[in-house]
Amino acid sequence: MDTAVICPRFESAISLLSQRWTGLIIYQLLAGPQRFSHLTDVIGISGRLLSERLKNLEAQGIVTRTVYPETPVRIEYELTEKGFSLKPVMDEIQNWSQVWVDPLETK
Amino acid sequence: MDTAVICPRFESAISLLSQRWTGLIIYQLLAGPQRFSHLTDVIGISGRLLSERLKNLEAQGIVTRTVYPETPVRIEYELTEKGFSLKPVMDEIQNWSQVWVDPLETK
DNA sequence: TATAATTGGTTACATAAAGTAACTAAAGAA
DNA sequence: TTCTTTAGTTACTTTATGTAACCAATTATA
């Protein structure tokens, strides 16, 4: 009769980061607004999945999408305050990786 | 001709956390050594996946497995120093979740 | 007037990962 | 001998991801 459970908010947050690519997208957007094709190039994600992930992040209020009707069209993705406030999380992952990830094993 | 890339160590670290269940397992083990069946109960993961994840975490030096030949057998999983040093990451995820995750949407 | 070029996607299909539930090994207890 | 308990494994289904070709909008070019 053990009723111990994991905090639902924590679970929700970690399920966000547990989705493949999502962490990398947020990390990359910490550097500032970027367009779709730049994200595919830098992250190495396919258009199909990037599109899906960005829609998701937008729906969760983590990213905004802005259309600039130039030629050719320019669309920029940018973190919201909610998204940007994940920076401390990313910083700690960065710190840990510098100490514990063996660069020879990053294949 | 843009050679910008994401730090390979960061990428390696986030790919660890991007694997489903891995973050929750580490978070749960921060509370101390725990046995297999307790982890399945608390986390809500199947034996198949828990087994796979724990083998993986052991291979990466994040978790240790200790057999106590009692009756019935008791096997405990515990974080190594490398694993425990992910605590600041988990703490920041926790912080973020308290501020930004709407408890009504944690379904 | 076609034709091409560029961005930001979508579609269709193959492969890999995760979910589910039944099953097994070991070892002492009844 | 049969039962219980823990810690898994196996076989099978469903979901997620990878890959590559395709499309719409818009302006420049032949």
Side-chain angles (χ1 to χ4, degrees), chain A residues 19 36 47-57:
Chain A
Q19 203 170 148
F36 191 90
R48 183 174 96 63
L49 282 183
L50 181 58
S51 173
E52 192 179 302
R53 290 296 186 273
L54 287 171
K55 273 181 194 164
N56 214 285
L57 289 170

Side-chain angles (χ1 to χ4, degrees), chain B residues 5-26:
Chain B
V5 245
I6 291 175
C7 166
R9 291 195 190 197
F10 180 85
E11 222 175 313
S12 171
I14 204 143
S15 84
L16 175 77
L17 298 175
S18 288
Q19 203 172 136
R20 196 162 188 187
W21 301 113
T22 301
L24 270 187
I25 293 168
I26 293 168

Side-chain angles (χ1 to χ4, degrees), chain B residues 11-103:
Chain B
E11 222 175 313
S12 171
I14 204 143
S15 84
L16 175 77
L17 298 175
S18 288
Q19 203 172 136
R20 196 162 188 187
W21 301 113
T22 301
L24 270 187
I25 293 168
I26 293 168
Y27 172 80
Q28 181 61 31
L29 287 176
L30 284 172
Q34 285 159 69
R35 48 208 304 194
F36 191 90
S37 55
H38 185 242
L39 289 172
T40 61
D41 292 349
V42 172
I43 298 178
I45 185 181
S46 70
R48 183 174 96 63
L49 283 184
L50 180 59
S51 173
E52 192 181 300
R53 290 296 185 274
L54 287 171
K55 274 181 193 165
N56 214 283
L57 290 170
E58 214 188 334
Q60 289 177 81
I62 289 171
V63 156
T64 56
R65 178 182 188 270
T66 309
V67 180
Y68 297 92
E70 305 169 352
T71 289
V73 67
R74 176 165 60 100
I75 294 173
E76 288 202 332
Y77 292 91
E78 184 172 12
L79 292 178
T80 62
E81 191 196 348
K82 181 178 179 182
F84 196 77
S85 66
L86 280 164
K87 186 172 189 307
V89 173
M90 297 300 160
D91 287 346
E92 287 297 346
I93 295 174
Q94 182 86 278
N95 287 345
W96 184 85
S97 75
Q98 299 309 305
V99 177
W100 293 103
V101 174
D102 179 354

Side-chain angles (χ1 to χ4, degrees), chain A residues 2 4 6-14 16-20 23-24 27-28 38 42-43 62 81-82 85-86 88-90 92-94 96-101 103 106, chain B residues 2 4 6-14 16-20 23-24 27-28 38 42-43 62 81-82 85-86 88-90 92-94 96-101 103 106:
Chain A
D2 190 0
I6 291 175
C7 166
R9 291 195 191 196
F10 181 85
E11 223 174 315
S12 171
I14 206 143
L16 175 77
L17 298 174
S18 289
Q19 203 170 148
R20 195 163 190 187
L24 270 187
Y27 173 79
Q28 180 60 32
H38 185 243
V42 172
I43 297 178
I62 289 171
E81 190 196 348
K82 180 178 180 182
S85 64
L86 281 164
V89 172
M90 297 300 160
E92 287 297 346
I93 295 173
Q94 182 87 278
W96 184 85
S97 74
Q98 299 308 306
V99 177
W100 292 102
V101 175
T106 53
Chain B
D2 189 2
I6 291 175
C7 166
R9 291 195 190 197
F10 180 85
E11 222 175 313
S12 171
I14 204 143
L16 175 77
L17 298 175
S18 288
Q19 203 172 136
R20 196 162 188 187
L24 270 187
Y27 172 80
Q28 181 61 31
H38 185 242
V42 172
I43 298 178
I62 289 171
E81 191 196 348
K82 181 178 179 182
S85 66
L86 280 164
V89 173
M90 297 300 160
E92 287 297 346
I93 295 174
Q94 182 86 278
W96 184 85
S97 75
Q98 299 309 305
V99 177
W100 293 103
V101 174
T106 53

